[in-house]
Amino acid sequence: MHIRLLYLASCLAIAACAGSSTAFLAGRQALLRGEPDNAVAYFDRVAQADPGYIVDSPPPRKSIWTYVGRAHYNSGRYAEAKIAYDKALTRLKDDYVARLYRGLTLLRVQPSAPPANVFTLQEVSYALREGVAPRRVGTLARERGIAFDLNAETESQLKNSGADTLLLDDLRKLRAERAKQNQPSDNQRNEGAKEITAALTGLRDWLDYTIASTTQGRFWDPSGEIRAEISRGLRATAASPRDWEAILTGAESVGYKLEEEGDRARRDEAEDFQRRRR
């Protein structure tokens, strides 16, 4: 009986793990498509079932709470994102992606009472994919306001959904107007810069080690673009006075490029393996 109970428990654990992996992959696909609200529902499901769930692929290692935070961050819900990143760092102290975005949340302030009926990133992406003209989407965004900031990741997602240059320019202007109304305190900014510095340093060391000491390393950042972005970010956080916009855009770019790089490195490694087999 004891052995049968152990076997049943083992089967249930395996099934739960498989379910979490499936939900995580669905959430990540939604996140990359520009559907952060759908993504957070999947990630939350994994986090509630297994709060200690660790994502090893794509590297570097991250807590599931980091992805919960990423979905909230892309939606402009910075307070919720920070809570998720705090949870991630209690689970995995060397989760440098969580620390990077935690620093970014400190450089952005979410309005205490956002206007009703604002346009979300997911709604904008959906409207474009459904064939609504970018000009019409821009008009609606100006009328209703937007609940998100335009960064490297969200801009790429909107382009993939059908956004044109004029729409992106409109969204940038709305973002700039929103940023003027909500400025973080000097203490928040200094803490944010400290977190971003620690995260970029950790990511630089991890990337240097991965490239020099692992089998897959030669497929990571072959152009040196990510390492150059990290170096620029470290110079920006160390500068006096600091250019906060450069720190924001640079750190967001590193986070986005690292997420893409894992997929690209894995794809290049698979293609190289197939070539050598032939």
Side-chain angles (χ1 to χ4, degrees):
M1 176 66 74
H2 182 63
I3 293 174
R4 293 171 71 179
L5 286 173
L6 285 175
Y7 176 73
L8 179 59
S10 175
C11 289
L12 290 173
I14 292 170
C17 182
S20 293
S21 297
T22 300
F24 167 73
L25 290 173
R28 185 169 182 266
Q29 289 168 0
L31 183 69
L32 296 176
R33 283 197 306 269
E35 301 172 7
D37 296 330
N38 288 345
V40 79
Y42 284 112
F43 295 146
D44 262 335
R45 186 187 309 169
V46 179
Q48 296 307 318
D50 183 2
Y53 187 88
I54 299 298
V55 178
D56 289 305
S57 181
R61 296 178 79 224
K62 296 176 284 292
S63 164
I64 185 60
W65 293 105
T66 301
Y67 280 93
V68 173
R70 286 284 303 280
H72 282 306
Y73 187 89
N74 281 8
S75 294
R77 296 186 292 267
Y78 303 122
E80 292 90 336
K82 183 177 177 298
I83 290 170
Y85 296 132
D86 286 342
K87 290 180 180 179
L89 289 165
T90 63
R91 298 280 176 179
L92 191 63
K93 293 186 183 302
D94 61 350
D95 187 337
Y96 296 115
V97 174
R99 193 167 299 283
L100 180 74
Y101 278 94
R102 184 183 187 278
L104 285 165
T105 65
L106 294 167
L107 301 187
R108 297 194 182 279
V109 176
Q110 179 172 284
S112 56
N117 203 34
V118 291
F119 232 179
T120 67
L121 173 64
Q122 186 154 313
E123 287 173 330
V124 174
S125 297
Y126 179 78
L128 290 168
R129 286 199 299 269
E130 289 297 300
V132 179
R135 186 173 181 179
R136 175 59 180 160
V137 173
T139 299
L140 291 171
R142 286 191 297 273
E143 290 174 354
R144 294 171 50 180
I146 58 173
F148 61 95
D149 285 295
L150 200 64
N151 56 48
E153 184 169 2
T154 55
E155 182 172 327
S156 176
Q157 291 163 351
L158 289 172
K159 284 179 180 177
N160 291 337
S161 297
D164 61 13
T165 303
L166 290 175
L167 173 57
L168 294 174
D169 285 342
D170 281 343
L171 296 177
R172 287 190 193 96
K173 290 174 185 175
L174 289 170
R175 170 191 175 179
E177 291 169 5
R178 184 180 179 218
K180 288 178 184 177
Q181 297 169 3
N182 302 283
Q183 293 293 331
S185 68
D186 288 343
N187 285 340
Q188 275 184 271
R189 281 180 161 174
N190 289 333
E191 185 184 350
K194 183 178 178 180
E195 287 284 79
I196 290 170
T197 298
L200 291 176
T201 301
L203 289 170
R204 179 197 61 195
D205 293 348
W206 171 82
L207 196 51
D208 286 345
Y209 173 81
T210 297
I211 291 169
S213 306
T214 68
T215 304
Q216 195 190 47
R218 65 193 179 95
F219 300 101
W220 271 82
D221 194 30
S223 68
E225 182 180 354
I226 298 175
R227 282 166 288 172
E229 189 79 74
I230 290 173
S231 295
R232 285 193 293 271
L234 288 170
R235 288 195 298 270
T237 57
S240 181
R242 293 186 177 110
D243 182 340
W244 295 108
E245 186 61 27
I247 292 172
L248 269 170
T249 56
E252 287 173 341
S253 179
V254 169
Y256 173 56
K257 287 176 180 175
L258 273 174
E259 190 69 29
E260 283 196 320
E261 189 70 5
D263 292 338
R264 192 202 58 74
R266 186 168 52 209
R267 184 171 61 249
D268 287 355
E269 184 179 24
E271 290 174 355
D272 179 72
F273 177 75
Q274 291 299 326
R275 282 196 299 270
R276 286 188 285 106
R277 285 192 63 185
R278 292 196 294 267

